[in-house]
Amino acid sequence: MPQIIGALIAMLIGAAREYLPGIIGRLLAAFGIGLFTHKVALPAMKSFISALLPQLGSIGMAYFEASGIGAAITIILSAIAAALGQKVILSKLKGS
């Protein structure tokens, strides 16, 4: 019985050594992409869209603010920026 438990523990440690670095690397890359998107890319996109909003007029602005479209646009833009950031970072990593 102790030999079976020892073999099982050795197998688990071997699997952790093989797969854990890749999982941690992907988690750190996703965290970095999310942080970059939130701190750098998203404010620039939001300011660009905010500069275009006065063209809607007062009624359009009131509808825009009351309906919550701004929050939906923020979610969509952050998803697009994260996807593009991931694509760029992964292409740079593969090219290296």
Side-chain angles (χ1 to χ4, degrees):
M1 185 69 166
Q3 294 172 342
I4 295 173
I5 294 173
L8 180 63
I9 291 174
M11 183 182 69
L12 289 174
I13 290 174
R17 283 184 182 170
E18 185 175 344
Y19 296 114
L20 199 56
I23 293 170
I24 291 175
R26 287 182 186 212
L27 286 174
L28 289 176
F31 180 71
I33 291 168
L35 185 64
F36 170 79
T37 301
H38 183 69
K39 295 290 184 182
V40 178
L42 193 58
M45 287 191 289
K46 285 173 71 175
S47 66
F48 174 74
I49 290 175
S50 296
L52 297 175
L53 285 179
Q55 296 175 358
L56 290 175
S58 61
I59 296 174
M61 283 292 293
Y63 178 73
F64 184 80
E65 292 174 1
S67 65
I69 295 174
I73 289 176
T74 301
I75 292 169
I76 292 168
L77 286 178
S78 63
I80 291 170
L84 291 176
Q86 182 180 7
K87 186 183 295 186
V88 168
I89 289 173
L90 291 179
S91 69
K92 296 295 180 184
L93 288 176
K94 287 181 182 177
S96 300

